[in-house]
Amino acid sequence: MKKEEKKSEAFLKKLDPAYQVDKGQKMKLVVEVANPDAEVKWLKNGQELRVTGSRYIFESIGNKRILTINNCSLADDAAYTCVIGEEKSFTELFVREPPVQILRPLEDQVVMVGERVEFECEVSEDGAQVKWEKNGVELTREETFKYRFKKDGKKHFLIINETTLEDSGNYIVKTNGGESVAELLVQEKQLEILQGVADLTVKAKEQAVFKCEVSDETVTGIWVKNGKEVVPNERIKISHIGRVHKLTIDDVVPSDEGDYSFIPNGFAFNLSAKLHFMEVKIDFVPRQEPPKIKLDCASGNADTIIVVAGNKLRLDVPITGDPAPTVVWSKGDQIISETDGRVHVETHPDHCVFIIEGAEKSDEGAYTVLLKNPAGEDKATINVKVIEAPDPPQAPKILNIGEDFCTVQWQPPKYDGGMPITGYILERKKKKSYRWMRLNYDLVKELTYESKRMIEGVIYEMRIYAVNAIGMSLPSQPSQPFMPIAPTSEPTQLTVEDVSDTSITVKWRPPERIGAGGLDGYMVEYCKEGSSEWVPALQGLTERTSTLIRDLPTGERLTFRVKAINLAGPSEPCTMKEPVTIREIMQRPKIWLPRFLRQKLVKKVGETVNIVIPFQGKPRPVVTWLKDGQPIDPKQVGIRNSEADTILFIRSAERHHSGEYQVKIQIENCEDTAAILIQIVDKPSAPQKLKIVEIWGFNVALEWSPPQDDGNTEISGYTIQKADKKTMEWFTVYEHYRRLNCVVSDLIMGNEYFFRVFSENMCGLSEKPANSKDSAQIQKTGISYKPPNYKEHEFGEAPKFTHPLVNRSVVAGYNATLSCSLRGSPKPRITWYKNKMDLSGEARYRAFSKQGVLTLEVRKPSPFDGGVYMCKAVNEHGEAETECRLEVRVPQ
């Protein structure tokens, strides 16, 4: 029997069994009370709620009592009760955490073997759970502790202390709301020479400075002279500042001449240069000697001196002449006479000096030195060429984008810095990232480069550096953002579905691989036999996997192919193996009658009849339907025909729709037919002539006749019911009874009974029963009944646990329950203990007792909740207890 809920006297409307709210949202719990003046109490986990700030708001509006919880947190996930006097309304509130989003994604990184790598991402929630993967395999703390995982509020870190070449790959961080991918490239440790050591020619007492620059600031090394290590002293000094290594020799003497080399530690190469000592010989000349400029080149011819931009140029020119000549330096028409400043000159008895501090591009040109004395004059021209790092190239162009690669193309910089371009360096980064990854360590000599190992569907940018003997240019402007995508694989299973004199229908299956570029549509083409020209069969693209191509030449043999198109371009074509002749194919009409229609189709009144009969035949056959040899009334039965099937449709079946339906398809003199039997059935009418035949003892014999209307189907049985005249409540005596008479037994003496019978078929019982006109009176026999005396049974029993508590291990943060079963009479008093401490007043624990099963619920336990729990039962016959151990694990 259906349990009827006892109606509450205090509550007009109680709380729902459970509510759910997102973390940070507001929740309202509403009840309606019968008495508008009633006072209510709100409990949370059994403890009464008090007004504390704006967290909880209690409202009383007419018959409504409202508890509002603002800014719900996980602490609000609890059981709530509204109490009015002795009545309670109970519910549970579940606080749902929103998906954890990745606010700052991982960055690609390039490191050398042995260096430390730290991947960092930021998520939307403090202390959220994340999972790290490498190339699709989850990373864990192995025995070797290769990977370290760290949390700092919303930030999560993956740390690899010493990288190896095997650590290269794609690293993924996943949350329940998204993921981020970054690539790690681990390179063999290589050292790049940014500036080599240059040969020096120095006079006595001058200073010689050898300088080189390498790509790694941490690299150390030694200087050697003629194969022996140079030892610093007061005159010789060695320095290492950042990437620059210097060897400085003050007051050069002839013994300093030789081969000097810088050898970096850990690398099998060195940087070498020569130091030439220049002696100034003073010959005795007679008086009145004309001036003479002693350069390596012939007098009056130009000599070229190259200086790196930013460096100092000092040109010492030995001169002779008696008396001492006057020296005039000039650049074009401008005479240089300054003895101080960035560009200045000095004059000494035996030589003159030309100095440029921090050479600039504007300092290039031809410089003339003119000597004059009474005996004559001499003149020499020196060309100064300033070289520097080249200008950055223009922004590169991205060509030939593939699934995980692209081709980068660029033009040389407009200015090469005065030295030939030795190659180019490329960098790339993700669009939303700030970190650029270097793609090559060996210089690219060409003006194109194929970038590989890219992630399909991620937006990238590229930039270029030009390199000459002096160094690297500034980076170019980044390329236009681009996304690596690939054309889909080719479509499959291209077949002919139908062909006529001027058209053809072809169909195919989608590509097996589509990728991040998606699928924009399909392009269908055909080619005449013997030709190599493919003609588009459709205007534009089609999104369907089949198409009808019209207006084709009759009798031509054509080959068809289909390509899938997306942003990356067309896929490889799927081509028919054999050409198709465009000609109508005569096909005899044939009806394919489904198996379930080869027997009688039975439907109930009011049901929908929908019969689909496929057929074949070319050209399209003519379809005719008949019912019992007569044309079908289109107002009662719907008929729809297509090229491949015919449909008979009855929206709501009636009894008169029963009968034999014939379908005929005809092409010229050829035809095919099929017949379908449809039977529409309904509930039967009531049985007839129900009468009471005989009454004896506690039994009554009944008899009746079949119903007048069997509902157009066989009667499957009868249902017989009886009713006591006092209550007139009907009880079923027999169901699915097959005969037309029965005996109703076990009737009660002294009562009077009525009887009724329902008929039954496959649609169910008849709407109305057949009722007996007369009643049956069961007579009393006069025999008195003396009940036996039984000794009253003693039901008292001491408490006994039929199923004890068992040890449990649970995960922190998820509700846990401890259960046991108990028997005892009278009902024992139950007490729960944790570590022998009574839990009766604790709000974190809820105890239940149902049908002898005792349950203790621990709401969202923490490691502190672990320990020994005991259940104790006591009644007047004795006591019993059982205990178990609860372990609370923190997820790793």
Side-chain angles (χ1 to χ4, degrees), residues 408-516:
V408 189
Q409 187 183 66
W410 63 92
Q411 296 298 322
K414 294 181 179 179
Y415 173 57
D416 62 4
M419 296 289 284
I421 299 294
T422 57
Y424 299 89
I425 291 173
L426 290 87
E427 291 183 337
R428 79 169 183 231
K429 77 173 182 69
K430 296 176 183 174
K431 172 69 175 172
K432 295 182 180 179
S433 173
Y434 60 86
R435 179 175 295 171
W436 290 89
M437 286 182 58
R438 186 164 175 173
L439 298 182
N440 62 303
Y441 283 87
D442 296 329
L443 295 179
V444 176
K445 308 295 184 183
E446 298 81 13
L447 295 175
T448 60
Y449 178 81
E450 187 172 287
S451 174
K452 299 180 179 179
R453 294 175 51 143
M454 306 175 82
I455 303 171
E456 186 178 8
V458 175
I459 301 176
Y460 289 93
E461 293 176 333
M462 292 279 188
R463 70 182 185 185
I464 313 290
Y465 295 86
V467 181
N468 64 8
I470 305 307
M472 291 170 52
S473 70
L474 294 173
S476 70
Q477 289 297 314
S479 67
Q480 289 294 322
F482 67 96
M483 179 191 298
I485 54 175
T488 69
S489 60
E490 70 274 7
T492 58
Q493 302 180 22
L494 176 61
T495 57
V496 176
E497 193 173 40
D498 192 17
V499 63
S500 71
D501 285 345
T502 60
S503 65
I504 187 172
T505 301
V506 293
K507 64 177 181 179
W508 59 91
R509 293 188 64 80
E512 294 180 358
R513 182 188 57 77
I514 292 178

Side-chain angles (χ1 to χ4, degrees), residues 12-31:
L12 295 178
K13 182 179 178 183
K14 289 189 173 184
L15 297 169
D16 291 342
Y19 295 87
Q20 181 171 286
V21 66
D22 288 336
K23 181 179 176 182
Q25 300 297 312
K26 181 167 69 174
M27 186 65 207
K28 285 192 174 185
L29 304 178
V30 183
V31 297

Side-chain angles (χ1 to χ4, degrees), residues 271-426:
L271 306 172
S272 300
K274 290 186 178 182
L275 174 62
H276 298 284
F277 182 79
M278 185 176 71
E279 293 187 21
V280 180
K281 296 181 180 179
I282 303 175
D283 298 330
F284 176 77
V285 292
R287 295 201 177 270
Q288 294 293 324
E289 179 186 0
K292 183 68 175 177
I293 299 172
K294 294 189 176 181
L295 291 174
D296 291 340
C297 57
S299 178
N301 293 337
D303 195 7
T304 301
I305 295 177
I306 298 175
V307 62
V308 177
N311 286 3
K312 176 180 178 180
L313 171 64
R314 178 187 176 96
L315 181 60
D316 291 86
V317 181
I319 59 175
T320 60
D322 194 10
T326 59
V327 182
V328 178
W329 288 88
S330 61
K331 180 183 181 184
D333 297 333
Q334 183 179 0
I335 295 175
I336 302 170
S337 58
E338 291 90 347
T339 59
D340 199 5
R342 195 176 66 81
V343 180
H344 62 276
V345 295
E346 298 175 2
T347 303
H348 301 277
D350 58 347
H351 69 284
C352 60
V353 183
F354 173 67
I355 299 172
I356 301 177
E357 300 280 357
E360 297 176 355
K361 186 66 180 173
S362 59
D363 295 327
E364 275 193 351
Y367 290 83
T368 302
V369 57
L370 177 64
L371 303 184
K372 286 185 180 181
N373 72 0
E377 65 179 40
D378 195 6
K379 180 180 179 183
T381 300
I382 301 166
N383 286 323
V384 174
K385 183 177 181 182
V386 179
I387 60 175
E388 57 185 331
D391 286 349
Q394 296 293 319
K397 296 180 180 178
I398 308 300
L399 312 172
N400 189 27
I401 300 173
E403 180 180 5
D404 61 351
F405 68 90
C406 73
T407 301
V408 189
Q409 187 183 66
W410 63 92
Q411 296 298 322
K414 294 181 179 179
Y415 173 57
D416 62 4
M419 296 289 284
I421 299 294
T422 57
Y424 299 89
I425 291 173
L426 290 87

